[in-house]
Amino acid sequence: MSRKKVLCIEIGANSIRIAEVSGNSLNLKVHNAAMFATPVGTVKDGSIVDEGKLSECIRQKLDEKGIYSKKTVFSIVSNKIMNREVSIPYVKKQQVDSVIRLHADEYFPMGLNRQSVSYIVTSEDKAADRIEAMVYAAPEELISEYYSLAASLGLEVKSLDYYGNSIFQWMKEALEDRSVMLIRVGYDFSQVTIMTNSTLRMQRSINYGVNDIIDAAIESGFGDDREKVIEQLGKKRYIAKRLDDEVELEDMQVKAITDSVRNMIGNLTRFIDYFYSKRKDSFESIERIMILDAGDEIKGLKNIISNELGIKQIKLHEVDELIDFGKFEGVKSKKFFATVGAAINPVGFVTANILEEKIKRSERNYYSTAFKIVGTVSAALIIIMAVRYGLLLSENRNLSSEVENLSYIEGIADEKSAVQENNRKVESIHALTYNSNERLPQLLSDLERNLPATTVVNSMSSTENVLTMSISVDSNETAAEAIMQLRKLSYLKNIAVSAVTDSVDSVTGVKKVSFTMTALLVRDTPGGTSAASENVTSGAAEEDINDQ
């Protein structure tokens, strides 16, 4: 970020934070700041529902605070934005964008229709031939809403950031080489960020927030005024030090509110387990945790999280003095870490339409400047031709350079085609080596599930594709039912029944019908093709049994 002032705006479900910032990542200075309630009904999960009302509220606060900067970075707080940690082979800096966009649909298999994709490189290791990045996908409609809001406020969008990246950029500079899990507890949901060695390792949202605690407090008798409830929870501790603290949990209100935290701690525990499973070969560990935002307003919440996870907290006085934060009425610096972090290295979301408009505007400005120069020269035609020739020559050089820079993609595409061809060869080899006896486990399962209960399979043998079974049942009707069930199995063809015998046990008097069944054991056809048209012999055998 340059020395010029930039306006950082973070719009949450409950509050809006504005900071006028200048400087660079190592020396940020906040010249002005404001924090105020988000107008009811104007924002829902980051989406701007009522632009007019929201714009009026923000403009009023900007005027009130004497904030006149135009260039703006929005930090978007929304669960609609997806993120993935990815690793790609080491390539030149100018090639990273092309590689990530080439494989973007693999990172987000649910689809990227009308999504704006951007990314932040989190680490580079040339020796290990690896670049790690956090890739983000945001709905273009959501991005357009913030450009529209800026226009209604008379502001110029310098960049759009994701609040998860905003907080990481602050962490990277303020916490440096520490291994930290930062939990930003919001009202509707919370975000967890793990950073080790100044590198973003993992980031996820948890569907748990302060509103869950407030709901539990209201149900336990605190009253219905949510603002008063949050104020009361900030003055006195109603959360036990541990989930199983029997002494403290004797108080019913303490028990109710403590139980409401159980879900969040369970989610955090699973998140940590997942992190360790993904990074088990790196021997990284989470040394400290830090809890910010609305979670800092609830007495006892930070302690129970720290105690249950078994990880010590980072206190605010331990954090490096990264931000030169002045004294502003009603503003605490710890509430603005993410807001100011948006100015360091924003993601830079942009829609295709907005990008196209920027290109057209740039072209219009260029030609406008060119024609003004031409107007001051008598030989207008010659200069116009010269300008056009210069543009075409410059464009040709740029395109040639771009073709050269992107030439490696041809190799990537060839490699992808080679992998696909190898996959096809493997599938062909598998088809050639397929043996019908591979169907036997499935056959045994189907026999157990579908044959009549009194059916006994005395013996079974199978060559490469011919199956023979000796079967006994208690009646001709049962034998017919058994054969009918066998005919429904699409991988048994040309069923034939022979050696049908009908006998009665001389001692018990129990009737027994025995027969031998042979069939071709083949691959199942797509859709489970019926074998009825081929099992002519089987149909005749069924009639023979019923006639006995």
Side-chain angles (χ1 to χ4, degrees), residues 449-455 471 473-488 515 538 542 545-546:
R449 183 170 57 253
N450 298 324
L451 290 183
T454 59
T455 304
I471 301 174
V473 293
D474 61 352
S475 67
N476 293 331
E477 290 77 10
T478 306
E481 173 65 20
I483 294 173
M484 184 178 69
Q485 292 297 331
L486 290 170
R487 292 175 61 189
K488 291 181 179 179
F515 60 92
S538 173
E542 186 177 339
I545 291 174
N546 283 322

Side-chain angles (χ1 to χ4, degrees), residues 25-311:
S25 61
L26 299 176
N27 183 23
L28 294 170
K29 180 177 178 61
V30 177
H31 299 273
N32 211 334
M35 180 174 174
F36 50 99
T38 304
V40 178
T42 58
V43 178
K44 184 177 181 181
D45 192 13
S47 292
I48 298 173
V49 179
D50 189 337
E51 181 185 294
K53 187 176 180 181
L54 181 63
S55 175
E56 182 181 354
C57 176
I58 294 175
R59 171 47 59 196
Q60 181 179 346
K61 186 60 66 173
L62 291 175
D63 293 341
E64 179 185 313
K65 288 286 185 177
I67 299 174
Y68 303 112
S69 296
K70 297 295 182 182
K71 293 186 181 296
T72 305
V73 178
F74 285 101
S75 183
I76 304 176
V77 184
S78 176
N79 258 338
K80 296 177 181 179
I81 298 177
M82 302 179 288
N83 67 317
R84 292 291 183 274
E85 303 87 13
V86 305
S87 178
I88 63 173
Y90 189 89
V91 295
K92 294 179 181 178
K93 185 176 181 180
Q94 63 267 30
Q95 297 172 344
V96 173
D97 184 80
S98 299
V99 173
I100 287 179
R101 295 188 185 280
L102 181 65
H103 296 281
D105 56 341
E106 298 172 16
Y107 308 146
F108 303 98
M110 66 290 295
L112 289 172
N113 184 35
R114 297 189 61 79
Q115 296 281 324
S116 173
V117 176
S118 193
Y119 64 93
I120 292 291
V121 172
T122 56
S123 70
E124 299 180 58
D125 190 337
K126 189 173 184 179
D129 188 31
R130 183 176 67 247
I131 292 177
E132 293 184 343
M134 183 67 75
V135 183
Y136 300 94
E140 288 193 346
E141 183 179 2
L142 179 68
I143 301 306
S144 298
E145 290 170 358
Y146 283 84
Y147 274 90
S148 177
L149 176 64
S152 69
L153 287 166
L155 303 175
E156 177 188 344
V157 176
K158 181 179 176 64
S159 189
L160 289 184
D161 199 19
Y162 173 53
Y163 85 117
N165 178 63
S166 301
I167 195 65
F168 164 66
Q169 295 300 330
W170 171 81
M171 289 174 67
K172 183 178 179 181
E173 303 298 339
L175 303 177
E176 295 182 330
D177 296 332
R178 304 186 194 188
S179 296
V180 179
M181 180 170 79
L182 187 142
I183 308 165
R184 194 177 182 205
V185 184
Y187 276 83
D188 294 324
F189 58 90
S190 303
Q191 189 176 71
V192 188
T193 302
I194 295 179
M195 180 188 79
T196 63
N197 300 319
S198 299
T199 300
L200 177 61
R201 297 301 185 191
M202 195 169 290
Q203 194 171 70
R204 294 290 186 275
S205 291
I206 295 176
N207 289 323
Y208 178 94
V210 169
N211 280 331
D212 294 277
I213 300 176
I214 296 174
D215 291 340
I218 290 174
E219 290 177 8
S220 65
F222 273 64
D224 296 333
D225 190 324
R226 302 184 74 86
E227 290 187 6
K228 289 184 178 179
V229 170
I230 194 72
E231 183 179 345
Q232 194 171 348
L233 291 172
K235 289 180 179 179
K236 181 180 177 181
R237 182 169 64 86
Y238 287 91
I239 298 178
K241 295 178 181 178
R242 299 296 297 259
L243 289 174
D244 57 357
D245 192 324
E246 295 181 0
V247 176
E248 288 195 283
L249 294 179
E250 289 180 358
D251 185 306
M252 297 307 294
Q253 286 186 324
V254 171
K255 184 178 187 308
I257 297 173
T258 301
D259 283 344
S260 72
V261 183
R262 191 179 300 274
N263 180 45
M264 180 186 192
I265 293 175
N267 278 312
L268 290 172
T269 302
R270 287 189 291 275
F271 178 72
I272 292 173
D273 291 342
Y274 178 66
F275 167 73
Y276 282 137
S277 69
K278 294 280 286 186
R279 308 287 302 184
K280 59 184 177 182
D281 296 330
S282 65
F283 303 103
E284 295 173 334
S285 62
I286 301 169
E287 298 171 356
R288 305 287 288 276
I289 63 171
M290 189 172 187
I291 301 169
L292 293 175
D293 216 356
D296 191 46
E297 300 172 7
I298 308 295
K299 273 191 175 296
L301 181 60
K302 294 191 293 185
N303 287 337
I304 193 172
I305 293 175
S306 176
N307 293 337
E308 291 296 331
L309 297 181
I311 307 174

